[in-house]
Amino acid sequence: MITLSSDFGSPYPAAMKGVVLQTIDARLVDIAHDLPRQDVRAAAFWLREVVPYFPPAVHLAVVDPGVGTDRSAVVVRAGSHAIVAPDNGVAVPAARRIAGDAADIDVFEIDVEDPASATFHGRDVFAPAAADIHERGVDTFDQYPEYEPTADYERVSFPAPAVTDGGAAGTVIAVDGFGNAITNLPGEIVADRVGDTVEVDGVATPVRRSYAHTDPGQRLLTVGSHGNVELAVNRGRGDDAFGVSAGDEVTVVW
C-alpha cells in the first residue's frame, strides 16, 4: 500500500499516481490533497493524526514550499512504515507517533538525479522513490546506495502552551474543513470545566463536551478527537467566529 498526501488539490496528484503505477502494481490510498497550502507545520499535524491509523505502508507526503531549492528529499522509517517527503520536517511527527520513541526513527537522504521539473518533485522525485521503496521493501530499501542514513534532518516543532492557575495561552495549529480552530492547548486543562464558561480572548465562551451541546450558531470551546482544545461553532465555523487562523495566538482565562 502507498498512501498519498499533499497540498496540490487537483489534478497534480493524478500524475504522481501515474508514475507509481508505471512502475509497480500497488494499492493507492489518498489521505488528503487539500492540506493547508505551504503550511508545513499544519500538514505535519494532520499526518501525525492520520498516518498511524494505517497498517504498514509507504506514505508519500508532499507539502513542499522549498521545491526547486537545495533542500533534500528523505525517507523517514518508523517500524514497518516509511514516509517519503521533502526534508522540511513534515514527516517527522507522524513517524515519532508511529514509533513511540524518537530513537526508533531512521532517516535516509535520497540520492536525487536531476529531476525533469524544478517545480513538481512530487511527480519527479517523491513518487518514483515511494514506488521503489514499496517494491524493495521497507525493511530492505536501505541496503541500496540511493538511500544514505543521515542524522542531519529537519524537525517540525509545535509551540508549547503556557498554562497557569488562572488560564492558558496557546497557538492555533490548524483549522479543519469544518472551521474548527485546533490549538496546542492540551484537553486536560478543561477536563473538569465542561459546563463552565471561560473567556477566550476576552469573550465569554462555554466549555462543552461536543458541538451539539450548544445551540446552532453558538461559539464553544471543546476537546477534539486529537486531544487538543479547539474553538468551534455548532453548525458554523469557529475560525470565523473567533477571528483566528493557523499561527494565531489564543488566550483562555477561567
Side-chain angles (χ1 to χ4, degrees):
M1 178 189 299
I2 296 177
T3 75
L4 299 95
S5 305
S6 75
D7 59 352
F8 291 164
S10 176
Y12 297 110
M16 295 194 296
K17 293 179 182 180
V19 168
V20 170
L21 293 174
Q22 283 190 43
T23 305
I24 59 172
D25 181 14
R27 181 184 179 189
L28 304 182
V29 178
D30 291 305
I31 291 179
H33 295 294
D34 58 354
L35 293 172
R37 289 190 166 170
Q38 301 186 354
D39 189 336
V40 173
R41 187 171 70 180
F45 171 82
W46 288 121
L47 291 172
R48 186 188 71 180
E49 296 303 313
V50 175
V51 166
Y53 288 96
F54 277 85
V58 175
H59 307 280
L60 172 56
V62 190
V63 174
D64 192 15
V67 64
T69 69
D70 60 356
R71 68 97 184 88
S72 299
V74 295
V75 187
V76 183
R77 183 169 62 190
S80 297
H81 294 256
I83 308 175
V84 182
D87 183 23
N88 57 18
V90 68
V92 174
R96 285 179 174 160
R97 176 70 59 86
I98 292 168
D101 184 343
D104 294 332
I105 294 176
D106 299 313
V107 181
F108 303 86
E109 186 171 342
I110 303 171
D111 183 15
V112 178
E113 297 183 1
D114 189 28
S117 167
T119 61
F120 196 2
H121 288 184
R123 178 195 66 194
D124 299 336
V125 175
F126 300 111
D132 183 60
I133 291 165
H134 186 280
E135 185 173 33
R136 289 175 169 174
V138 170
D139 295 330
T140 60
F141 76 85
D142 56 318
Q143 298 175 13
Y144 296 84
E146 298 95 316
Y147 305 98
E148 181 70 25
T150 180
D152 183 20
Y153 59 91
E154 295 295 324
R155 281 82 163 170
V156 164
S157 61
F158 299 106
V163 181
T164 67
D165 291 338
T171 304
V172 176
I173 298 298
V175 176
D176 69 16
F178 292 97
N180 301 316
I182 302 162
T183 75
N184 63 336
L185 298 173
E188 302 86 72
I189 68 172
V190 297
D192 59 353
R193 294 183 170 86
V194 175
D196 295 346
T197 297
V198 298
E199 288 189 359
V200 178
D201 291 340
V203 179
T205 304
V207 181
R208 296 292 184 261
R209 183 172 180 271
S210 66
Y211 314 107
H213 286 84
T214 64
D215 294 331
Q218 184 177 3
R219 294 164 34 132
L220 69 143
L221 184 152
T222 192
V223 179
S225 60
H226 35 68
N228 292 11
V229 169
E230 62 181 46
L231 313 179
V233 171
N234 182 16
R235 304 186 190 180
R237 293 192 64 90
D239 57 342
D240 290 341
F242 288 90
V244 296
S245 58
D248 287 347
E249 296 182 355
V250 174
T251 301
V252 181
V253 176
W254 46 76

